[in-house]
Amino acid sequence: MPWVQGLIKPAASRSSNLSIFNTNCNYTFFFQSRMEVIAQIVLQNLNSFAQEEFGIIWNLKDDVQQMKRTVSAIKAVLLDAEAKTNNLQISNWLEELKDVLYDADDLLNDMSSEALERKVRGGSILLRRVQIFFSQANQIVYSYKLGHKMKAIQKRLDAIAKNKNTLQLTELPMETPITCREQRQTYSFVREDDVIGREEEKKLLKSYLLDTKVSVIDNVSVVPVVGFGGLGKTALAQLVFNDNAVQRYFEPKMWVCVSDEFDIRKIAEKMIGNDKNSEIEQVQQDLRNKVRGKRFLLVLDDVWNEDRELWFKFKSLVVEGGNGSAIIVTTRSRTVGKIMATHPPLFLKGLDLERSWKLFSRVAFDGGKEPNDWELLAMGRNIVQKCAGIPLAIRTIGSLLYSRNLGRSDWLYFSEVEFSNIDQHREKIFAILKLSYDHLPSFLKKCFAYCSLFPKDFVFDKKTLIQLWVAEGFIQPSRDNRCEEDVGHEYFMNLLSKSLFQNVTSNDYGDIVTCKMHDLIHDLAQLVVGKEYAFVEGKKENIGNKTRYLSSCTSLHFSKKTSSSSSKLRTVTLLGQTLYGSQNLGQPLLHFPFLSSIKRVRVLTLCGLHIITLPNSIRELKQLRYLDLSKNKFLVSLPPDVTRLLNLQTLKLSQCGKLKELPSGINKSLRHLELNDCGKLTCMPCGLGKLTNLQTLTHFLLDCKSKNGDISELSGLNNLRGKLVIKWLDSLRENAAVVESAKTLLEKQLLQELELRWWLDVKNSFGDDPIQERFEMEEESRWFSENEKILLEDENMLASRNEMKKDEKILQGLQPHHSIKKLVIDGYCGKSLPDWIGNLSSLLNLEIRNCNGLKSLPDGIRYLVSLQRICIYNCPLLERRCARRYGEEWSKIAHIPKVVVSPFSPSALRYIN
């Protein structure tokens, strides 16, 4: 899945015609990114300083302690400050604080990187001291500079801390939710004619409520309606609540707007109509008496509580209701739906274009009747399309147009100009969406805001998004020692559960691979980021001194004027014009001198820029954690100085078709190395086996030239996960016995997919004429049935007996962990497969390709009850023996739901079709 799907627009300055609202409006007070997470990161860095860092500059320990005290004091009032961002002075105070905290974090990371670099230089302590003293980074000069920067930042922090008293900011516990917003209230009544386009959803929800055959625990059915703000969850619940059949079926019927706090006492009081503030004991007795033995209907509208125990406590008060009682829960949280549901949740989606138009016509035209003006109708449909199926947006815009009684020329002006400058009505819509953002913890707010850097309708790759969050430092340390990627997965699922992501796709194992973000939610993310994000078009230089995240799809020319601003950048994303249809092949979009001005960058994406090589100045990016060079089809090599990027975690080189080699000695911090479609790459760098933190290694290439491959480099890489392709296994034949005993892959229990490829991987196994060669193979196969012994010795058809035995030893030694889910064996020359295949209890998919000598499958396959699919391609001997019902091997695979046996592999079919 390509990471780059489209043009990146600026978060703080862009105005898209796909957007309902202009993000340039000054709504900083309305959406303010909380800085607790930045302050927390600074404190964590201060707390984690080791002796090496303290040794860099004099008196550092005292400076660190002073900065910790100041940041802690400021952090304590952040919640109060962010609840008062409608005050311009406080809003400016927060912006100043954000800037200095970023600078502090950059400086602390610089110091840690310097200490790490000194540590890895090697040699004795005396030698290191001599090297440092006589190097350009003279210790005295460097210490002086660092000390000066440290004191300058402390001075700025002191001023900010002093101003917090002037602004009368008070300490609040950070767990307290923001309470300055107006409490949302809803009620049960709605006219049926007012709800448009939800007929199917109403029918489904009614079927759940009125199903007399359904059997549920405790007599009470619970049906969640899930979706983000503005989709009409409450309207749907109102529609069903007031339906005549529902009204007759249930008694009593109760409606409670829960909103922020799931207070059992308050909910119970609303259910029984008691506002006397009675004791909880009396309230619970009255509630149980009200529902006991009665078939009741309860709507809990706008539920946010994700505390399962709290839900169980409430449910215990209503389980005495009569059989068939039901509760409708409306929520934005998938987690809430999962906790409460006894029925599958109803996930509400936006209206399609026709239903959107019907709703728009109802509110925008007199009596809901369309005018006899096709131009006006065309403009109206264009406006409706921009509302993206959100009922709240459609109603708001339609009502505005109706109230202004606009003519055709006014509609045209509104559609093309005024539509993106709505203030009053925009606030009404975003006031609802804002609740989703407010309920996020601060660390999730940063992750959510980061998504604004990508365009609308962008397909997010979940794994890549998490890697970016990790590189940016958004992931909090785990108390249970989980890796940052696993915590990032939890963050992603949390955002998904809040309906902030949608349109997810999953792989064969049920793991989410991609997702999208709704246009309105994307608008929300744009409003959050403020001045931290920027977009550069052409030669325009709009990099402000507060910009930390930059994206562009064209050349960048950093002048002296912008060099100081660009020095603060943490993300630089440059996307090649070829990704958008440009035919200017060979014209590089990147001017490398800019690298010297972005020394604090953590994420550097240089996709599709026709780069041939990188300059050695890449070594100056000491904070770099994420480097994406994908789709640079002219890239031949990487400079050796890439190995000096001691913080580098992710290196993406997929679709670099001319890349020939990787530098040796890649640093141990690397976690992800992607090498898909690197056809010229022939071997792995020396020292790869030392990268014990490596989680992603898409391809492991044995040295096919030396015929003496070393697979032992994989032995220590037991943190590998996802998919691994091992190529040119025939180079191991001289060491087959060693491979057999090594069991290199057995401990890699996080690996999901494994592909084992022999020499047939190097060239098309069907030669220049696949149809003719297949015909000859069929003829030989018929002859084989009568002359098996002769055929085995035919070197044109099968490998020698010696190679067969060696390959069988190699495959025996490549036994994976039993948790593997997909196994591909390609070009193997053995006669039989190892028995360990029968022990792969989690195996879902088995592919066997281009194995001309393979005659049989292991008996253990018949016991793999989890196996869902087996594919056998271009294996002539096995193909005949696996013939459906009549083949000798058929009984071993008859239980598998999908069996594919074909003379051609899918890749070969392209030559025929």
Side-chain angles (χ1 to χ4, degrees):
M1 177 61 64
W3 180 237
V4 180
Q5 299 289 337
L7 179 65
I8 291 183
K9 288 289 185 179
S13 62
R14 58 192 159 195
S15 175
S16 171
N17 62 352
L18 295 177
S19 173
I20 297 179
F21 307 109
N22 184 345
T23 58
N24 289 327
C25 297
N26 184 16
Y27 275 84
T28 306
F29 72 91
F30 193 54
F31 293 98
Q32 181 69 35
S33 178
R34 293 178 63 181
M35 279 166 289
E36 179 194 358
V37 64
I38 309 174
Q40 187 61 38
I41 290 172
V42 171
L43 288 174
Q44 288 170 2
N45 287 340
L46 290 168
N47 288 327
S48 63
F49 264 39
Q51 188 61 42
E52 287 85 351
E53 284 91 341
F54 286 130
I56 293 178
I57 61 176
W58 301 299
N59 299 322
L60 177 59
K61 194 168 185 177
D62 294 338
D63 291 338
V64 165
Q65 293 302 321
Q66 183 181 356
M67 187 174 290
K68 283 167 61 175
R69 288 191 295 269
T70 308
V71 173
S72 296
I74 294 172
K75 181 173 176 285
V77 302
L78 279 180
L79 188 64
D80 186 39
E82 291 178 355
K84 300 174 180 176
T85 49
N86 57 326
N87 182 312
L88 184 59
Q89 285 183 308
I90 294 178
S91 181
N92 291 336
W93 182 84
L94 285 168
E95 284 295 328
E96 292 177 12
L97 174 60
K98 182 189 296 182
D99 198 49
V100 69
L101 286 176
Y102 272 129
D103 288 346
D105 186 40
D106 287 336
L107 177 61
L108 296 174
N109 276 282
D110 285 343
M111 294 164 64
S112 294
S113 296
E114 177 67 18
L116 179 61
E117 186 172 357
R118 295 182 183 189
K119 184 177 180 180
V120 300
R121 283 173 183 168
S124 65
I125 296 176
L126 178 60
L127 177 60
R128 289 204 301 270
R129 287 177 177 172
V130 172
Q131 289 174 333
I132 293 169
F133 185 84
F134 287 103
S135 68
Q136 292 181 351
N138 181 278
Q139 188 173 13
I140 297 176
V141 176
Y142 187 77
S143 298
Y144 175 79
K145 290 181 178 179
L146 280 182
H148 181 74
K149 291 179 180 179
M150 193 84 168
K151 293 185 184 302
I153 288 176
Q154 182 61 52
K155 184 177 179 181
R156 293 165 63 191
L157 283 171
D158 288 340
I160 290 172
K162 183 179 179 180
N163 285 339
K164 76 179 175 65
N165 299 324
T166 305
L167 296 172
Q168 297 181 339
L169 297 175
T170 58
E171 295 186 12
L172 293 175
M174 297 309 295
E175 297 300 321
T176 303
I178 296 177
T179 57
C180 65
R181 60 178 176 271
E182 182 182 350
Q183 184 75 11
R184 182 169 180 252
Q185 296 292 331
T186 64
Y187 47 84
S188 63
F189 178 74
V190 69
R191 291 179 65 247
E192 186 171 0
D193 291 345
D194 289 340
V195 182
I196 304 296
R198 292 301 186 191
E199 294 80 8
E200 292 300 319
E201 291 85 349
K202 176 187 175 182
K203 184 178 178 180
L204 179 60
L205 190 51
K206 277 182 61 178
S207 70
Y208 288 156
L209 300 181
L210 304 180
D211 187 358
T212 58
K213 298 179 181 179
V214 69
S215 176
V216 295
I217 300 174
D218 300 328
N219 298 331
V220 181
S221 299
V222 184
V223 186
V225 180
V226 183
F228 59 83
L231 275 178
K233 301 182 296 296
T234 299
L236 176 61
Q238 290 169 330
L239 189 63
V240 173
F241 188 88
N242 289 280
D243 181 82
N244 290 332
V246 172
Q247 286 284 319
R248 290 192 301 267
Y249 190 75
F250 294 99
E251 183 60 40
K253 298 170 287 293
M254 298 158 284
W255 181 284
V256 177
C257 181
V258 180
S259 197
D260 293 336
E261 186 179 11
F262 196 88
D263 187 316
I264 295 177
R265 175 176 173 169
K266 290 181 179 179
I267 295 172
E269 286 176 343
K270 291 178 181 179
M271 290 174 67
I272 62 179
N274 178 8
D275 57 358
K276 298 177 182 179
N277 198 26
S278 303
E279 294 294 328
I280 183 63
E281 177 63 22
Q282 184 62 48
V283 172
Q284 66 89 15
Q285 287 184 12
D286 292 344
L287 176 58
R288 290 168 56 213
N289 290 335
K290 181 171 183 175
V291 302
R292 184 178 292 118
K294 299 175 183 178
R295 188 164 56 201
F296 70 85
L297 173 63
L298 170 64
V299 175
L300 295 176
D301 188 37
D302 198 24
V303 177
W304 294 87
N305 168 62
E306 296 183 353
D307 186 336
R308 196 161 178 251
E309 289 302 316
L310 201 56
W311 164 245
F312 285 152
K313 288 180 180 179
F314 171 77
K315 191 176 180 182
S316 68
L317 300 181
V318 297
V319 294
E320 297 178 45
N323 187 34
S325 296
I327 302 175
I328 299 174
V329 175
T330 71
T331 181
R332 304 184 192 198
S333 170
R334 291 170 178 257
T335 303
V336 171
K338 183 178 180 181
I339 288 173
M340 295 184 169
T342 61
H343 284 276
L346 197 166
F347 294 104
L348 214 55
K349 298 180 180 179
L351 302 178
D352 59 32
L353 190 56
E354 287 309 309
R355 291 192 292 175
S356 297
W357 175 251
K358 185 178 179 181
L359 176 59
F360 179 80
S361 299
R362 169 67 62 86
V363 295
F365 301 127
D366 244 344
K369 296 181 180 180
E370 298 179 8
N372 296 321
D373 187 333
W374 66 268
E375 289 187 11
L376 190 67
L377 295 178
M379 286 184 278
R381 286 190 176 272
N382 181 49
I383 292 172
V384 167
Q385 193 167 14
K386 293 178 181 179
C387 290
I390 307 302
L392 180 64
I394 297 168
R395 283 184 175 278
T396 303
I397 303 304
S399 298
L400 175 64
L401 290 170
Y402 178 81
S403 66
R404 293 173 62 173
N405 194 24
L406 303 178
R408 183 194 299 178
S409 60
D410 296 315
W411 273 57
L412 180 62
Y413 179 79
F414 179 87
S415 176
E416 295 182 353
V417 179
E418 201 172 334
F419 189 77
S420 60
N421 290 306
I422 300 170
D423 292 340
Q424 175 185 351
H425 298 275
R426 143 211 186 102
E427 184 171 340
K428 178 180 177 181
I429 294 174
F430 278 101
I432 294 178
L433 293 179
K434 178 179 182 286
L435 296 175
S436 296
Y437 177 72
D438 284 345
H439 278 80
L440 294 177
S442 57
F443 52 87
L444 283 185
K445 289 183 177 182
K446 293 290 291 184
C447 296
F448 171 71
Y450 197 81
C451 297
S452 69
L453 194 60
F454 303 94
K456 290 187 175 180
D457 207 35
F458 183 81
V459 178
F460 289 97
D461 179 85
K462 187 195 79 170
K463 181 179 178 180
T464 302
L465 187 58
I466 292 172
Q467 290 170 353
L468 289 167
W469 290 343
V470 171
E472 295 290 356
F474 295 162
I475 308 298
Q476 291 188 325
S478 171
R479 295 179 180 178
D480 52 8
N481 295 321
R482 285 180 297 162
C483 70
E484 289 179 292
E485 287 77 4
D486 287 340
V487 179
H489 168 75
E490 181 181 316
Y491 286 11
F492 177 90
M493 297 305 293
N494 204 322
L495 291 172
L496 177 63
S497 75
K498 300 293 190 299
S499 300
L500 298 175
F501 290 129
Q502 63 178 27
N503 296 348
V504 298
T505 65
S506 302
N507 58 20
D508 294 338
Y509 324 123
D511 299 326
I512 293 175
V513 179
T514 67
C515 69
K516 288 186 177 183
M517 181 176 279
H518 192 278
D519 285 357
L520 276 179
I521 301 299
H522 187 272
D523 286 338
L524 170 65
Q526 287 182 338
L527 288 174
V528 171
V529 295
K531 300 176 182 178
E532 294 176 65
Y533 290 65
F535 176 67
V536 175
E537 291 184 277
K539 297 182 180 181
K540 183 179 178 181
E541 297 175 353
N542 59 344
I543 305 174
N545 58 6
K546 296 184 184 300
T547 301
R548 306 286 173 171
Y549 307 96
L550 171 70
S551 60
S552 175
C553 62
T554 185
S555 302
L556 283 182
H557 301 272
F558 287 96
S559 65
K560 293 181 179 179
K561 181 180 178 181
T562 59
S563 60
S564 60
S565 298
S566 61
S567 66
K568 297 183 177 182
L569 290 172
R570 293 183 165 213
T571 290
V572 175
T573 300
L574 305 183
L575 307 176
Q577 292 177 352
T578 56
L579 298 172
Y580 315 106
S582 172
Q583 300 300 316
N584 298 325
L585 299 180
Q587 297 296 321
L589 303 178
L590 180 65
H591 296 271
F592 284 123
F594 91 103
L595 288 178
S596 61
S597 65
I598 56 170
K599 294 181 180 180
R600 293 180 178 177
V601 72
R602 300 182 178 200
V603 171
L604 182 59
T605 300
L606 307 173
C607 287
L609 303 181
H610 308 301
I611 297 172
I612 297 175
T613 186
L614 288 174
N616 286 327
S617 59
I618 191 77
R619 65 176 178 267
E620 298 179 18
L621 309 184
K622 296 181 180 181
Q623 298 303 321
L624 192 62
R625 289 155 168 77
Y626 179 102
L627 177 59
D628 187 353
L629 298 170
S630 304
K631 300 182 181 180
N632 284 294
K633 58 184 179 180
F634 300 116
L635 184 65
V636 177
S637 63
L638 298 178
D641 283 348
V642 167
T643 62
R644 296 182 61 177
L645 302 175
L646 301 182
N647 289 303
L648 190 63
Q649 300 168 347
T650 300
L651 178 59
K652 294 177 180 279
L653 297 166
S654 295
Q655 299 183 48
C656 294
K658 293 191 176 182
L659 185 66
K660 295 182 178 180
E661 62 179 355
L662 299 174
S664 298
I666 295 178
N667 66 79
K668 295 181 181 180
S669 63
L670 200 66
R671 297 181 183 180
H672 307 281
L673 178 58
E674 297 185 7
L675 301 169
N676 296 307
D677 301 318
C678 294
K680 297 291 184 180
L681 201 60
T682 57
C683 63
M684 305 308 291
C686 295
L688 186 72
K690 297 179 181 179
L691 307 183
T692 54
N693 292 320
L694 205 60
Q695 297 178 20
T696 302
L697 179 62
T698 58
H699 288 71
F700 184 84
L701 312 178
L702 294 156
D703 194 341
C704 60
K705 295 180 180 180
S706 68
K707 299 298 179 182
N708 189 26
D710 183 10
I711 201 163
S712 64
E713 290 272 30
L714 284 174
S715 298
L717 306 184
N718 290 331
N719 287 315
L720 290 181
R721 53 181 68 185
K723 180 179 178 179
L724 172 64
V725 178
I726 305 177
K727 299 173 68 173
W728 303 320
L729 286 166
D730 51 300
S731 66
L732 297 176
R733 286 173 180 159
E734 299 304 317
N735 298 310
V738 176
V739 177
E740 182 182 24
S741 60
K743 303 294 182 183
T744 306
L745 305 177
L746 194 56
E747 299 300 320
K748 294 171 177 46
Q749 55 185 312
L750 298 177
L751 211 57
Q752 287 188 313
E753 297 186 23
L754 177 64
E755 290 194 19
L756 303 174
R757 299 183 184 178
W758 273 256
W759 67 275
L760 283 173
D761 162 271
V762 180
K763 59 181 180 180
N764 185 300
S765 60
F766 290 101
D768 296 327
D769 190 345
I771 298 179
Q772 175 63 27
E773 189 161 338
R774 177 61 193 171
F775 175 77
E776 295 173 358
M777 192 176 295
E778 291 285 356
E779 291 297 312
E780 289 179 309
S781 182
R782 295 191 193 98
W783 175 74
F784 169 80
S785 61
E786 300 175 359
N787 303 276
E788 179 174 336
K789 185 175 180 179
I790 297 174
L791 184 59
L792 285 173
E793 296 174 355
D794 187 347
E795 293 183 358
N796 294 325
M797 186 65 185
L798 301 173
S800 66
R801 291 179 181 272
N802 189 34
E803 287 181 344
M804 286 182 179
K805 292 179 180 179
K806 289 180 178 178
D807 278 7
E808 288 171 357
K809 288 183 177 181
I810 292 171
L811 190 55
Q812 181 65 41
L814 295 179
Q815 177 181 355
H817 192 271
H818 63 78
S819 61
I820 200 79
K821 291 184 170 60
K822 180 177 180 179
L823 176 64
V824 177
I825 300 172
D826 191 354
Y828 171 66
C829 290
K831 292 191 298 181
S832 61
L833 296 174
D835 291 336
W836 54 252
I837 288 180
N839 298 326
L840 302 180
S841 56
S842 300
L843 193 65
L844 299 174
N845 194 338
L846 175 62
E847 287 190 19
I848 305 169
R849 305 191 297 230
N850 306 314
C851 300
N852 291 340
L854 190 60
K855 291 179 57 180
S856 65
L857 298 172
D859 288 336
I861 279 188
R862 66 175 79 243
Y863 306 115
L864 294 180
V865 295
S866 63
L867 192 58
Q868 298 295 307
R869 187 170 182 263
I870 183 170
C871 300
I872 300 172
Y873 300 124
N874 189 30
C875 302
L877 309 185
L878 193 59
E879 179 182 330
R880 178 179 61 81
R881 297 173 65 87
C882 287
R884 191 173 296 271
R885 289 186 292 179
Y886 303 112
E888 297 93 323
E889 301 290 308
W890 174 250
S891 63
K892 299 178 181 178
I893 59 176
H895 68 288
I896 302 173
K898 185 171 184 179
V899 177
V900 179
V901 181
S902 170
F904 299 107
S905 64
S907 60
L909 285 174
R910 69 179 185 271
Y911 293 99
I912 300 173
N913 300 328

